[in-house]
Every structure is written in structure tokens, then in C-alpha cells.
Amino acid sequence: MGFTGVKVFSATKAKEREALGDFVTMWLRNNPNLEIMGKTVTQSSDAEFHCLTIMLFFREAGAAAAA
């Protein structure tokens, strides 16, 4: 069984980008029932802005056993 949901974290301001890992960690701690199936980290830029995006692909823990 693959993933059943995606959580996207994104930031463009420098201070927000620095804190992004803390937001991901807090979300993971607040959702212990989810099993992370994969992740993607993307950085994009233009002339003025730099965007960092972290996507977590997840499913309910134990969902594979139920399938």
C-alpha cells in the first residue's frame, strides 16, 4: 500500500526557512499515528526569493496490515 496523504511545509523568508525543520519535527510529534512513506525536499529561486519546500508522504500506521 502506498501513501494516503501529503503534508507540505514551505517557507520563503530566511528566518522561516531556518525554522522549517522545527515545524516538521513538531508536526511529526503531534501525529504519532502516521507512518512516513517518503519525502521530497525542493529549493527554488528567482531573482528575489528563495523557497524551501518539504513534502512528507504518509499513511496511517498499521494501514499495510489492514490492506
Side-chain angles (χ1 to χ4, degrees):
M1 180 176 184
F3 63 92
T4 58
V6 178
K7 177 68 176 170
V8 178
F9 301 89
S10 184
T12 55
K13 297 178 183 173
K15 287 189 181 203
E16 292 174 349
R17 289 192 307 267
E18 290 173 12
L20 202 54
D22 294 333
F23 286 114
V24 172
T25 299
M26 185 181 350
W27 184 82
L28 289 169
R29 286 184 181 153
N30 290 332
N31 293 282
N33 61 317
L34 300 179
E35 180 181 356
I36 303 303
M37 305 304 297
K39 64 185 174 302
T40 301
V41 179
T42 306
Q43 181 179 342
S44 59
S45 301
D46 63 14
E48 295 182 46
F49 298 100
H50 306 290
C51 183
L52 178 62
T53 303
I54 300 172
M55 295 186 297
L56 299 179
F57 302 88
F58 63 87
R59 68 178 177 198
E60 294 273 338

Short mmCIF file of all heavy atoms in Angstrom, two decimals:
data_model
loop_
_atom_site.label_atom_id
_atom_site.label_comp_id
_atom_site.label_asym_id
_atom_site.label_seq_id
_atom_site.Cartn_x
_atom_site.Cartn_y
_atom_site.Cartn_z
N MET A 1 0.85 -1.18 0.00
CA MET A 1 0.00 0.00 0.00
C MET A 1 0.89 1.24 0.00
O MET A 1 1.86 1.32 0.73
CB MET A 1 -0.90 -0.01 1.23
CG MET A 1 -1.81 1.18 1.32
SD MET A 1 -2.90 1.00 2.74
CE MET A 1 -3.89 2.44 2.51
N GLY A 2 0.53 2.24 -0.80
CA GLY A 2 1.29 3.48 -0.89
C GLY A 2 0.84 4.47 0.16
O GLY A 2 0.22 4.12 1.16
N PHE A 3 1.12 5.71 -0.09
CA PHE A 3 0.76 6.75 0.85
C PHE A 3 -0.70 7.15 0.66
O PHE A 3 -1.29 6.95 -0.40
CB PHE A 3 1.69 7.96 0.74
CG PHE A 3 1.65 8.65 -0.61
CD1 PHE A 3 0.79 9.71 -0.82
CD2 PHE A 3 2.48 8.25 -1.64
CE1 PHE A 3 0.77 10.37 -2.03
CE2 PHE A 3 2.46 8.89 -2.87
CZ PHE A 3 1.59 9.95 -3.06
N THR A 4 -1.29 7.74 1.71
CA THR A 4 -2.69 8.17 1.66
C THR A 4 -2.83 9.67 1.87
O THR A 4 -3.93 10.20 1.79
CB THR A 4 -3.54 7.45 2.72
OG1 THR A 4 -2.99 7.70 4.00
CG2 THR A 4 -3.57 5.95 2.45
N GLY A 5 -1.71 10.34 2.17
CA GLY A 5 -1.77 11.79 2.39
C GLY A 5 -0.41 12.43 2.18
O GLY A 5 0.62 11.76 2.15
N VAL A 6 -0.44 13.75 2.03
CA VAL A 6 0.78 14.54 1.84
C VAL A 6 0.69 15.76 2.74
O VAL A 6 -0.35 16.43 2.77
CB VAL A 6 0.95 15.00 0.37
CG1 VAL A 6 2.20 15.86 0.21
CG2 VAL A 6 1.00 13.81 -0.56
N LYS A 7 1.75 16.07 3.45
CA LYS A 7 1.85 17.29 4.24
C LYS A 7 2.96 18.13 3.63
O LYS A 7 4.07 17.64 3.40
CB LYS A 7 2.16 16.96 5.70
CG LYS A 7 2.35 18.18 6.57
CD LYS A 7 1.06 18.95 6.75
CE LYS A 7 1.28 20.11 7.72
NZ LYS A 7 0.15 21.01 7.75
N VAL A 8 2.64 19.40 3.34
CA VAL A 8 3.59 20.28 2.68
C VAL A 8 3.98 21.41 3.64
O VAL A 8 3.11 22.07 4.21
CB VAL A 8 2.99 20.88 1.39
CG1 VAL A 8 3.98 21.84 0.73
CG2 VAL A 8 2.59 19.78 0.42
N PHE A 9 5.28 21.59 3.81
CA PHE A 9 5.83 22.70 4.58
C PHE A 9 6.62 23.56 3.61
O PHE A 9 7.43 23.04 2.84
CB PHE A 9 6.78 22.19 5.67
CG PHE A 9 6.14 21.25 6.64
CD1 PHE A 9 6.11 19.89 6.39
CD2 PHE A 9 5.58 21.72 7.81
CE1 PHE A 9 5.53 19.00 7.29
CE2 PHE A 9 4.99 20.85 8.72
CZ PHE A 9 4.96 19.49 8.45
N SER A 10 6.40 24.88 3.64
CA SER A 10 7.06 25.75 2.68
C SER A 10 7.39 27.08 3.34
O SER A 10 6.62 27.59 4.16
CB SER A 10 6.14 25.96 1.47
OG SER A 10 6.80 26.72 0.50
N ALA A 11 8.52 27.65 2.97
CA ALA A 11 8.93 28.94 3.51
C ALA A 11 9.77 29.70 2.49
O ALA A 11 10.55 29.10 1.76
CB ALA A 11 9.73 28.75 4.79
N THR A 12 9.60 31.02 2.47
CA THR A 12 10.39 31.85 1.55
C THR A 12 11.30 32.83 2.30
O THR A 12 12.34 33.21 1.77
CB THR A 12 9.48 32.66 0.60
OG1 THR A 12 8.56 33.42 1.38
CG2 THR A 12 8.74 31.74 -0.33
N LYS A 13 10.93 33.24 3.49
CA LYS A 13 11.76 34.18 4.25
C LYS A 13 12.86 33.42 4.98
O LYS A 13 12.66 32.28 5.42
CB LYS A 13 10.90 34.95 5.24
CG LYS A 13 9.86 35.81 4.56
CD LYS A 13 9.00 36.52 5.57
CE LYS A 13 7.92 37.32 4.85
NZ LYS A 13 6.96 37.89 5.80
N ALA A 14 14.02 34.06 5.14
CA ALA A 14 15.19 33.39 5.71
C ALA A 14 14.90 32.81 7.10
O ALA A 14 15.23 31.66 7.36
CB ALA A 14 16.37 34.36 5.78
N LYS A 15 14.28 33.58 7.98
CA LYS A 15 14.01 33.08 9.33
C LYS A 15 13.02 31.91 9.29
O LYS A 15 13.13 30.96 10.07
CB LYS A 15 13.49 34.19 10.22
CG LYS A 15 14.56 35.16 10.62
CD LYS A 15 14.10 36.12 11.67
CE LYS A 15 15.24 37.06 12.00
NZ LYS A 15 15.14 37.67 13.30
N GLU A 16 12.05 31.97 8.38
CA GLU A 16 11.09 30.87 8.24
C GLU A 16 11.79 29.62 7.72
O GLU A 16 11.51 28.51 8.18
CB GLU A 16 9.95 31.26 7.30
CG GLU A 16 9.04 32.33 7.85
CD GLU A 16 8.01 32.79 6.82
OE1 GLU A 16 8.15 32.44 5.63
OE2 GLU A 16 7.09 33.51 7.22
N ARG A 17 12.70 29.78 6.77
CA ARG A 17 13.44 28.62 6.25
C ARG A 17 14.29 27.99 7.34
O ARG A 17 14.38 26.77 7.43
CB ARG A 17 14.32 29.04 5.06
CG ARG A 17 13.55 29.38 3.80
CD ARG A 17 14.45 29.49 2.58
NE ARG A 17 15.57 30.37 2.75
CZ ARG A 17 15.60 31.66 2.43
NH1 ARG A 17 14.52 32.23 1.92
NH2 ARG A 17 16.69 32.39 2.60
N GLU A 18 14.91 28.82 8.19
CA GLU A 18 15.73 28.29 9.28
C GLU A 18 14.90 27.49 10.27
O GLU A 18 15.39 26.53 10.86
CB GLU A 18 16.43 29.44 10.01
CG GLU A 18 17.51 30.10 9.18
CD GLU A 18 18.09 31.35 9.84
OE1 GLU A 18 17.82 31.57 11.05
OE2 GLU A 18 18.80 32.09 9.16
N ALA A 19 13.64 27.87 10.47
CA ALA A 19 12.76 27.22 11.45
C ALA A 19 11.96 26.06 10.86
O ALA A 19 11.24 25.38 11.59
CB ALA A 19 11.83 28.25 12.06
N LEU A 20 12.06 25.83 9.58
CA LEU A 20 11.21 24.84 8.92
C LEU A 20 11.38 23.44 9.52
O LEU A 20 10.40 22.72 9.73
CB LEU A 20 11.49 24.82 7.41
CG LEU A 20 10.40 24.28 6.51
CD1 LEU A 20 9.07 24.97 6.75
CD2 LEU A 20 10.81 24.40 5.06
N GLY A 21 12.59 23.07 9.82
CA GLY A 21 12.84 21.76 10.43
C GLY A 21 12.13 21.60 11.76
O GLY A 21 11.62 20.52 12.08
N ASP A 22 12.08 22.68 12.54
CA ASP A 22 11.37 22.63 13.82
C ASP A 22 9.87 22.41 13.62
O ASP A 22 9.24 21.68 14.38
CB ASP A 22 11.59 23.92 14.61
CG ASP A 22 13.04 24.09 15.05
OD1 ASP A 22 13.73 23.07 15.23
OD2 ASP A 22 13.46 25.25 15.22
N PHE A 23 9.30 23.04 12.58
CA PHE A 23 7.88 22.84 12.28
C PHE A 23 7.60 21.41 11.86
O PHE A 23 6.59 20.81 12.25
CB PHE A 23 7.40 23.81 11.19
CG PHE A 23 7.26 25.22 11.66
CD1 PHE A 23 8.08 26.22 11.15
CD2 PHE A 23 6.30 25.57 12.60
CE1 PHE A 23 7.96 27.52 11.59
CE2 PHE A 23 6.16 26.87 13.04
CZ PHE A 23 7.00 27.85 12.54
N VAL A 24 8.50 20.83 11.06
CA VAL A 24 8.34 19.44 10.63
C VAL A 24 8.41 18.52 11.86
O VAL A 24 7.56 17.63 12.02
CB VAL A 24 9.41 19.05 9.59
CG1 VAL A 24 9.36 17.57 9.29
CG2 VAL A 24 9.24 19.87 8.32
N THR A 25 9.39 18.74 12.71
CA THR A 25 9.54 17.91 13.92
C THR A 25 8.30 18.00 14.81
O THR A 25 7.81 16.99 15.31
CB THR A 25 10.80 18.33 14.70
OG1 THR A 25 11.94 18.13 13.86
CG2 THR A 25 10.95 17.52 15.98
N MET A 26 7.78 19.22 15.00
CA MET A 26 6.59 19.40 15.83
C MET A 26 5.39 18.67 15.23
O MET A 26 4.63 18.01 15.94
CB MET A 26 6.27 20.90 15.97
CG MET A 26 5.13 21.18 16.91
SD MET A 26 4.66 22.94 17.14
CE MET A 26 5.93 23.86 16.34
N TRP A 27 5.22 18.75 13.91
CA TRP A 27 4.10 18.08 13.25
C TRP A 27 4.23 16.56 13.41
O TRP A 27 3.24 15.88 13.69
CB TRP A 27 4.05 18.49 11.77
CG TRP A 27 2.86 17.92 11.07
CD1 TRP A 27 1.59 18.41 11.06
CD2 TRP A 27 2.84 16.72 10.28
NE1 TRP A 27 0.78 17.59 10.31
CE2 TRP A 27 1.52 16.56 9.82
CE3 TRP A 27 3.79 15.79 9.91
CZ2 TRP A 27 1.14 15.49 9.00
CZ3 TRP A 27 3.42 14.74 9.10
CH2 TRP A 27 2.11 14.60 8.66
N LEU A 28 5.44 16.04 13.24
CA LEU A 28 5.66 14.60 13.41
C LEU A 28 5.33 14.15 14.83
O LEU A 28 4.70 13.11 15.02
CB LEU A 28 7.10 14.23 13.05
CG LEU A 28 7.46 14.31 11.57
CD1 LEU A 28 8.96 14.20 11.39
CD2 LEU A 28 6.72 13.25 10.78
N ARG A 29 5.75 14.92 15.81
CA ARG A 29 5.46 14.58 17.21
C ARG A 29 3.97 14.64 17.50
O ARG A 29 3.46 13.87 18.32
CB ARG A 29 6.21 15.51 18.15
CG ARG A 29 7.68 15.22 18.21
CD ARG A 29 8.39 16.08 19.21
NE ARG A 29 9.82 15.75 19.20
CZ ARG A 29 10.77 16.59 19.53
NH1 ARG A 29 10.47 17.82 19.92
NH2 ARG A 29 12.03 16.22 19.49
N ASN A 30 3.26 15.55 16.85
CA ASN A 30 1.82 15.70 17.07
C ASN A 30 0.99 14.69 16.28
O ASN A 30 -0.23 14.64 16.44
CB ASN A 30 1.36 17.12 16.72
CG ASN A 30 1.86 18.15 17.71
OD1 ASN A 30 2.09 17.84 18.88
ND2 ASN A 30 2.03 19.37 17.25
N ASN A 31 1.63 13.91 15.43
CA ASN A 31 0.94 12.93 14.59
C ASN A 31 1.64 11.57 14.66
O ASN A 31 2.06 11.02 13.64
CB ASN A 31 0.87 13.42 13.14
CG ASN A 31 -0.01 14.62 13.01
OD1 ASN A 31 -1.22 14.53 12.99
ND2 ASN A 31 0.61 15.80 12.95
N PRO A 32 1.74 11.00 15.87
CA PRO A 32 2.47 9.73 16.01
C PRO A 32 1.78 8.55 15.34
O PRO A 32 2.40 7.50 15.16
CB PRO A 32 2.54 9.54 17.53
CG PRO A 32 1.34 10.25 18.05
CD PRO A 32 1.18 11.45 17.13
N ASN A 33 0.53 8.72 14.94
CA ASN A 33 -0.22 7.65 14.28
C ASN A 33 0.08 7.55 12.79
O ASN A 33 -0.44 6.68 12.11
CB ASN A 33 -1.72 7.86 14.48
CG ASN A 33 -2.19 9.17 13.87
OD1 ASN A 33 -1.53 10.20 14.00
ND2 ASN A 33 -3.33 9.14 13.20
N LEU A 34 0.94 8.44 12.28
CA LEU A 34 1.25 8.43 10.85
C LEU A 34 2.61 7.81 10.60
O LEU A 34 3.56 8.00 11.36
CB LEU A 34 1.24 9.85 10.30
CG LEU A 34 -0.08 10.59 10.43
CD1 LEU A 34 0.05 12.00 9.85
CD2 LEU A 34 -1.22 9.83 9.76
N GLU A 35 2.69 7.06 9.52
CA GLU A 35 3.94 6.44 9.09
C GLU A 35 4.43 7.18 7.85
O GLU A 35 3.70 7.27 6.85
CB GLU A 35 3.68 4.96 8.76
CG GLU A 35 4.89 4.22 8.30
CD GLU A 35 4.58 2.77 7.96
OE1 GLU A 35 3.43 2.32 8.16
OE2 GLU A 35 5.49 2.09 7.48
N ILE A 36 5.62 7.72 7.90
CA ILE A 36 6.17 8.46 6.77
C ILE A 36 6.65 7.47 5.71
O ILE A 36 7.48 6.60 5.97
CB ILE A 36 7.33 9.38 7.21
CG1 ILE A 36 6.86 10.35 8.30
CG2 ILE A 36 7.90 10.14 6.01
CD1 ILE A 36 5.67 11.20 7.91
N MET A 37 6.09 7.59 4.51
CA MET A 37 6.39 6.67 3.42
C MET A 37 7.47 7.22 2.48
O MET A 37 8.11 6.48 1.75
CB MET A 37 5.12 6.39 2.60
CG MET A 37 3.96 5.87 3.43
SD MET A 37 4.37 4.38 4.34
CE MET A 37 4.70 3.26 2.99
N GLY A 38 7.65 8.54 2.49
CA GLY A 38 8.65 9.16 1.62
C GLY A 38 8.70 10.64 1.89
O GLY A 38 7.86 11.19 2.60
N LYS A 39 9.70 11.28 1.32
CA LYS A 39 9.84 12.72 1.48
C LYS A 39 10.50 13.32 0.25
O LYS A 39 11.24 12.63 -0.47
CB LYS A 39 10.66 13.05 2.71
CG LYS A 39 12.09 12.56 2.66
CD LYS A 39 12.82 12.82 3.96
CE LYS A 39 14.20 12.22 3.97
NZ LYS A 39 14.28 10.79 3.76
N THR A 40 10.22 14.59 0.02
CA THR A 40 10.84 15.34 -1.06
C THR A 40 11.20 16.72 -0.52
O THR A 40 10.38 17.35 0.14
CB THR A 40 9.88 15.50 -2.26
OG1 THR A 40 9.50 14.22 -2.73
CG2 THR A 40 10.53 16.28 -3.38
N VAL A 41 12.42 17.14 -0.78
CA VAL A 41 12.87 18.47 -0.38
C VAL A 41 13.23 19.22 -1.66
O VAL A 41 14.00 18.71 -2.48
CB VAL A 41 14.08 18.41 0.56
CG1 VAL A 41 14.55 19.81 0.93
CG2 VAL A 41 13.74 17.60 1.81
N THR A 42 12.64 20.42 -1.83
CA THR A 42 12.85 21.19 -3.04
C THR A 42 13.24 22.61 -2.68
O THR A 42 12.65 23.20 -1.77
CB THR A 42 11.56 21.23 -3.89
OG1 THR A 42 11.12 19.90 -4.12
CG2 THR A 42 11.79 21.94 -5.21
N GLN A 43 14.21 23.15 -3.40
CA GLN A 43 14.55 24.56 -3.25
C GLN A 43 14.38 25.20 -4.61
O GLN A 43 14.86 24.67 -5.62
CB GLN A 43 15.99 24.74 -2.78
CG GLN A 43 16.35 26.19 -2.60
CD GLN A 43 17.78 26.39 -2.10
OE1 GLN A 43 18.39 25.48 -1.58
NE2 GLN A 43 18.29 27.58 -2.27
N SER A 44 13.69 26.33 -4.64
CA SER A 44 13.53 27.06 -5.88
C SER A 44 13.85 28.53 -5.62
O SER A 44 13.70 29.02 -4.51
CB SER A 44 12.11 26.90 -6.44
OG SER A 44 11.16 27.37 -5.49
N SER A 45 14.30 29.20 -6.65
CA SER A 45 14.70 30.59 -6.51
C SER A 45 14.36 31.37 -7.76
O SER A 45 14.30 30.81 -8.86
CB SER A 45 16.21 30.71 -6.28
OG SER A 45 16.60 30.01 -5.13
N ASP A 46 14.14 32.66 -7.56
CA ASP A 46 14.08 33.58 -8.69
C ASP A 46 15.02 34.73 -8.35
O ASP A 46 15.87 34.60 -7.48
CB ASP A 46 12.65 34.03 -8.99
CG ASP A 46 12.00 34.81 -7.87
OD1 ASP A 46 12.71 35.25 -6.94
OD2 ASP A 46 10.78 35.00 -7.91
N ALA A 47 14.87 35.86 -8.99
CA ALA A 47 15.79 36.97 -8.77
C ALA A 47 15.75 37.51 -7.34
O ALA A 47 16.72 38.07 -6.85
CB ALA A 47 15.50 38.09 -9.76
N GLU A 48 14.61 37.36 -6.66
CA GLU A 48 14.46 37.95 -5.34
C GLU A 48 14.21 36.96 -4.21
O GLU A 48 14.58 37.22 -3.07
CB GLU A 48 13.29 38.94 -5.35
CG GLU A 48 13.51 40.15 -6.24
CD GLU A 48 12.34 41.10 -6.16
OE1 GLU A 48 11.90 41.38 -5.03
OE2 GLU A 48 11.87 41.53 -7.22
N PHE A 49 13.55 35.86 -4.48
CA PHE A 49 13.09 34.98 -3.42
C PHE A 49 13.67 33.58 -3.55
O PHE A 49 13.95 33.11 -4.64
CB PHE A 49 11.55 34.88 -3.44
CG PHE A 49 10.88 36.19 -3.19
CD1 PHE A 49 10.38 36.93 -4.25
CD2 PHE A 49 10.75 36.69 -1.90
CE1 PHE A 49 9.76 38.15 -4.02
CE2 PHE A 49 10.14 37.90 -1.66
CZ PHE A 49 9.64 38.64 -2.73
N HIS A 50 13.84 32.94 -2.39
CA HIS A 50 14.28 31.55 -2.32
C HIS A 50 13.21 30.81 -1.53
O HIS A 50 12.85 31.21 -0.43
CB HIS A 50 15.62 31.43 -1.61
CG HIS A 50 16.68 32.29 -2.20
ND1 HIS A 50 17.23 32.05 -3.44
CD2 HIS A 50 17.28 33.41 -1.73
CE1 HIS A 50 18.13 32.97 -3.70
NE2 HIS A 50 18.17 33.82 -2.68
N CYS A 51 12.70 29.74 -2.09
CA CYS A 51 11.65 28.97 -1.44
C CYS A 51 12.17 27.57 -1.12
O CYS A 51 12.75 26.91 -1.98
CB CYS A 51 10.42 28.87 -2.34
SG CYS A 51 9.05 28.00 -1.57
N LEU A 52 11.94 27.15 0.12
CA LEU A 52 12.28 25.80 0.54
C LEU A 52 10.98 25.07 0.84
O LEU A 52 10.13 25.58 1.57
CB LEU A 52 13.17 25.83 1.79
CG LEU A 52 13.56 24.49 2.38
CD1 LEU A 52 14.39 23.68 1.38
CD2 LEU A 52 14.34 24.69 3.67
N THR A 53 10.81 23.90 0.25
CA THR A 53 9.60 23.11 0.44
C THR A 53 9.98 21.70 0.87
O THR A 53 10.86 21.08 0.28
CB THR A 53 8.77 23.05 -0.85
OG1 THR A 53 8.45 24.38 -1.26
CG2 THR A 53 7.49 22.26 -0.66
N ILE A 54 9.31 21.22 1.91
CA ILE A 54 9.47 19.85 2.37
C ILE A 54 8.10 19.18 2.28
O ILE A 54 7.13 19.70 2.82
CB ILE A 54 9.99 19.79 3.83
CG1 ILE A 54 11.35 20.47 3.92
CG2 ILE A 54 10.05 18.34 4.31
CD1 ILE A 54 11.85 20.63 5.35
N MET A 55 8.03 18.07 1.56
CA MET A 55 6.78 17.32 1.43
C MET A 55 6.96 15.96 2.07
O MET A 55 7.95 15.26 1.78
CB MET A 55 6.39 17.16 -0.04
CG MET A 55 6.07 18.48 -0.71
SD MET A 55 5.44 18.31 -2.40
CE MET A 55 6.82 17.55 -3.22
N LEU A 56 6.04 15.60 2.95
CA LEU A 56 6.06 14.29 3.59
C LEU A 56 4.86 13.49 3.09
O LEU A 56 3.73 13.96 3.13
CB LEU A 56 5.96 14.43 5.11
CG LEU A 56 7.08 15.21 5.79
CD1 LEU A 56 6.83 15.28 7.29
CD2 LEU A 56 8.44 14.59 5.50
N PHE A 57 5.13 12.29 2.60
CA PHE A 57 4.09 11.38 2.12
C PHE A 57 3.83 10.37 3.23
O PHE A 57 4.78 9.74 3.71
CB PHE A 57 4.55 10.69 0.84
CG PHE A 57 4.90 11.68 -0.26
CD1 PHE A 57 6.17 12.20 -0.36
CD2 PHE A 57 3.93 12.07 -1.15
CE1 PHE A 57 6.49 13.11 -1.36
CE2 PHE A 57 4.24 12.99 -2.16
CZ PHE A 57 5.52 13.51 -2.26
N PHE A 58 2.59 10.22 3.65
CA PHE A 58 2.32 9.39 4.82
C PHE A 58 1.09 8.52 4.64
O PHE A 58 0.30 8.69 3.70
CB PHE A 58 2.14 10.28 6.06
CG PHE A 58 0.97 11.22 5.98
CD1 PHE A 58 -0.30 10.82 6.36
CD2 PHE A 58 1.12 12.51 5.53
CE1 PHE A 58 -1.40 11.68 6.29
CE2 PHE A 58 0.06 13.39 5.45
CZ PHE A 58 -1.20 12.97 5.84
N ARG A 59 0.94 7.59 5.58
CA ARG A 59 -0.27 6.78 5.71
C ARG A 59 -0.46 6.53 7.20
O ARG A 59 0.47 6.70 8.01
CB ARG A 59 -0.17 5.47 4.96
CG ARG A 59 0.83 4.50 5.54
CD ARG A 59 0.84 3.20 4.76
NE ARG A 59 1.88 2.32 5.32
CZ ARG A 59 2.37 1.31 4.69
NH1 ARG A 59 1.95 1.02 3.47
NH2 ARG A 59 3.28 0.55 5.23
N GLU A 60 -1.65 6.10 7.57
CA GLU A 60 -1.93 5.75 8.96
C GLU A 60 -1.05 4.57 9.33
O GLU A 60 -0.92 3.61 8.56
CB GLU A 60 -3.40 5.36 9.13
CG GLU A 60 -4.37 6.50 8.90
CD GLU A 60 -4.64 7.32 10.15
OE1 GLU A 60 -4.42 6.82 11.26
OE2 GLU A 60 -5.07 8.47 9.98
N ALA A 61 -0.44 4.61 10.51
CA ALA A 61 0.38 3.49 10.97
C ALA A 61 -0.48 2.25 11.04
O ALA A 61 -1.63 2.28 11.49
CB ALA A 61 0.99 3.82 12.32
N GLY A 62 0.05 1.14 10.55
CA GLY A 62 -0.69 -0.12 10.57
C GLY A 62 -1.62 -0.29 9.37
O GLY A 62 -2.28 -1.30 9.26
N ALA A 63 -1.66 0.68 8.47
CA ALA A 63 -2.57 0.59 7.31
C ALA A 63 -2.19 -0.56 6.40
O ALA A 63 -3.05 -1.18 5.79
CB ALA A 63 -2.56 1.90 6.53
N ALA A 64 -0.91 -0.91 6.31
CA ALA A 64 -0.48 -2.01 5.45
C ALA A 64 -1.05 -3.33 5.96
O ALA A 64 -1.43 -4.20 5.17
CB ALA A 64 1.03 -2.07 5.37
N ALA A 65 -1.11 -3.49 7.27
CA ALA A 65 -1.64 -4.74 7.85
C ALA A 65 -3.12 -4.89 7.56
O ALA A 65 -3.63 -6.00 7.42
CB ALA A 65 -1.38 -4.74 9.35
N ALA A 66 -3.83 -3.78 7.45
CA ALA A 66 -5.26 -3.82 7.20
C ALA A 66 -5.59 -4.06 5.73
O ALA A 66 -6.68 -4.47 5.39
CB ALA A 66 -5.91 -2.52 7.68
N ALA A 67 -4.63 -3.77 4.85
CA ALA A 67 -4.90 -3.90 3.42
C ALA A 67 -4.84 -5.33 2.95
O ALA A 67 -4.27 -6.19 3.50
CB ALA A 67 -3.89 -3.05 2.64
#
